[in-house]
Amino acid sequence: MFGSSTSRTTSTFAATDSSGTQRTTRTRLLAATAPLLACSLVLTACGSRDEGDGGDASGGTTTVTIGYDSPLSKDLAAVGLGMRNSAELAVKQANKEKLVPGVSFKLQAKDDQGTPNIGQQNAAAFVSDKSVIGVVGAYNSSVSAAMQSTLHDARMVQISGANTAATLTKGADYTDSPERQYDNYFRTISTDDVAVPVTAEYLYKDLKIKKIAAVDDKKTYGAQIVDDFTTAYKKLGGKVVLHQSINPDESDYSAVVNTVRSSGAKGVFYGGEYPQAAALKKQLVAAGFDGPMGGGDAVKDDQLISLAGAKAADNTCTHSDGAPIDKMTTAKSFVSAYEAAGYQQTYGVFGIYTYDATTALIKAVGDAVKANDGKVGDVTQLRPKVVEAMAKVSFDGATGAIGFNEFGDSTNQVISINCVKNGTWENGVKVVTVK
């Protein structure tokens, strides 16, 4: 997803607690040989030897941990849990298919609550755990920004299926002078500077909105996406008549609503996430404003409709990465496997991209292990080799061809426009391949 503030899997999992965080346990086999005994006693990252930990892992394999970070509680829990489930599914399948010979994977999920400082603490915990080979996450771009330097210093891969802020890979001056920020950071979803102009063009050319009010939630993702939209919209000839901010921790946006109504705007573009977007759209409609609301992928969630109400949610249009899932032949196996797994939460907008991100990390581990004479060895020593391998990863994933450019960004850049009509998301009302 994006900014702090959205709609771009192991041998054994223990029960999920009330916060949605998984607690995992590991059993160690004390072998009679000195090398394995030393590894177990010292608890170094030689990797744990799994003696039948359940799931699909078999005895004698080396178990390594994949860290996972997203909001698993509070108002963004729905999207975070769907992403976690998708990562878990990728891990389970990799173990079942023995994707990396001699290695089994386990997922260790941590809840960042959508808060940067918690994400940074989680990153530090992953680094200190000598069994963790890399991290999938975060959901929020602002949280990932807080995690990046810690994971980079540890030479540990970080890969997200949701972050869209261009600054994470190309720096603050990403339009005029892009520069790679952290060579260990990758993502499987398009950036805002690629996707947002598609939304701007849809509002300006397709919906004929020539004057618009911009509203953001003050977070990294929300503020940046409004900047990207403003640049693209003005370039088309549109006029941004107002730029306001809301406090996402509050629920009464009447001051912003009244300002929008008196601004002469014929529509609104919101930079932020679906809980606040739903409240804003509901209050705008209640105040008599009937213009459409545009937004980014963080607004694209089924919860938007239930929170705003079907009638008020109508005419909300957002972009999302890729073609609609039901139109992607590559996504069919993921969807069927996810449904068969019986998860309580839907995979949402970012689940399938998180699935591909997790698979990419697993494949990078496989390449690094192969280059290391087929051995995991000390996981902390393997981490930088996985970073090197990730840059070269290329495969056909659930979302299409997976690969990374010189910045670590996805090379697959297809953008869909989705709108709520008659209380239901109509996905792919327009699909654009960005070149």
Side-chain angles (χ1 to χ4, degrees):
M1 163 203 120
F2 346 79
S4 137
S5 70
T6 160
S7 275
R8 272 290 269 178
T9 81
T10 123
S11 57
T12 298
F13 293 91
T16 299
D17 63 22
S18 60
S19 72
T21 303
Q22 292 178 324
R23 309 294 182 187
T24 58
T25 58
R26 180 186 311 131
T27 58
R28 296 182 181 272
L29 175 63
L30 296 180
T33 60
L36 291 182
L37 180 59
C39 182
S40 296
L41 292 177
V42 179
L43 296 179
T44 66
C46 324
S48 61
R49 305 303 279 185
D50 201 311
E51 195 179 25
D53 201 15
D56 299 306
S58 59
T61 60
T62 300
T63 300
V64 296
T65 304
I66 292 176
Y68 171 83
D69 178 272
S70 78
L72 301 176
S73 62
K74 298 191 174 181
D75 59 355
L76 295 173
V79 67
L81 290 169
M83 290 168 57
R84 183 207 62 189
N85 296 343
S86 302
E88 177 183 298
L89 179 62
V91 169
K92 286 182 175 180
Q93 290 181 339
N95 286 336
K96 183 177 181 180
E97 298 166 9
K98 295 180 171 54
L99 195 60
V100 181
V103 178
S104 65
F105 296 90
K106 63 192 300 182
L107 192 75
Q108 181 185 123
K110 291 186 180 295
D111 178 13
D112 62 35
Q113 299 180 29
T115 304
N117 69 327
I118 297 179
Q120 197 283 327
Q121 293 168 17
N122 291 345
F126 286 135
V127 168
S128 66
D129 184 338
K130 293 180 172 58
S131 74
V132 177
I133 193 65
V135 175
V136 177
Y139 165 74
N140 306 106
S141 289
S142 60
V143 175
S144 277
M147 300 172 70
Q148 281 183 312
S149 62
T150 298
L151 297 176
H152 176 264
D153 290 347
R155 305 304 300 141
M156 183 186 292
V157 163
Q158 179 183 6
I159 182 167
S160 174
N163 295 158
T164 58
T167 53
L168 293 173
T169 48
K170 293 180 285 191
D173 194 13
Y174 56 86
T175 300
D176 298 323
S177 184
E179 183 177 357
R180 184 76 183 266
Q181 300 300 290
Y182 296 99
D183 65 355
N184 65 311
Y185 178 87
F186 303 83
R187 53 181 147 201
T188 53
I189 193 167
S190 296
T191 53
D192 293 326
D193 58 327
V194 171
V196 172
V198 178
T199 304
E201 183 173 288
Y202 183 77
L203 290 170
Y204 184 80
K205 292 185 177 181
D206 295 72
L207 298 187
K208 311 298 182 184
I209 303 299
K210 308 302 182 183
K211 294 182 179 181
I212 206 161
V215 181
D216 69 63
D217 63 357
K218 302 180 182 179
K219 298 180 182 179
T220 299
Y221 166 73
Q224 183 179 313
I225 201 174
V226 164
D227 286 345
D228 289 335
F229 176 84
T230 299
T231 299
Y233 190 70
K234 287 182 176 180
K235 187 175 181 179
L236 291 167
K239 184 177 181 180
V240 178
V241 298
L242 174 72
H243 183 181
Q244 294 275 286
S245 297
I246 63 166
N247 184 340
D249 295 325
E250 297 177 354
S251 57
D252 181 2
Y253 306 141
S254 57
V256 171
V257 168
N258 291 333
T259 305
V260 170
R261 286 185 62 205
S262 61
S263 69
K266 302 302 180 182
V268 174
F269 181 83
Y270 178 68
E273 298 152 329
Y274 68 87
Q276 293 76 27
L280 179 61
K281 186 67 162 64
K282 183 177 183 178
Q283 292 173 40
L284 283 166
V285 171
F289 185 85
D290 60 359
M293 172 185 281
D297 44 7
V299 173
K300 173 64 172 65
D301 196 281
D302 290 341
Q303 290 291 314
L304 175 114
I305 299 173
S306 60
L307 291 172
K311 185 175 181 179
D314 275 357
N315 296 319
T316 300
C317 295
T318 75
H319 63 251
S320 62
D321 211 51
I325 289 180
D326 58 2
K327 296 179 182 178
M328 283 195 293
T329 56
T330 56
K332 291 182 179 179
S333 61
F334 164 78
V335 173
S336 61
Y338 191 97
E339 292 175 346
Y343 292 115
Q344 293 183 351
Q345 302 84 12
T346 64
Y347 47 80
V349 175
F350 303 103
I352 191 168
Y353 295 95
T354 300
Y355 172 84
D356 277 349
T358 308
T359 302
L361 175 54
I362 291 170
K363 286 182 176 292
V365 172
D367 291 341
V369 169
K370 183 177 180 181
N372 199 41
D373 296 325
K375 301 176 182 178
V376 173
D378 184 332
V379 172
T380 62
Q381 297 301 311
L382 190 67
R383 289 171 178 173
K385 297 178 181 178
V386 176
V387 172
E388 295 176 9
M390 180 65 88
K392 303 174 184 178
V393 163
S394 177
F395 65 99
D396 292 329
T399 59
I402 304 300
F404 308 102
N405 64 18
E406 68 271 28
F407 300 105
D409 288 329
S410 171
T411 54
N412 188 2
Q413 299 181 339
V414 177
I415 307 299
S416 291
I417 296 295
N418 322 281
C419 297
V420 180
K421 297 184 178 181
N422 299 317
T424 302
W425 281 107
E426 184 175 326
N427 298 320
V429 297
K430 187 174 184 178
V431 180
V432 177
T433 298
V434 181
K435 297 180 180 180

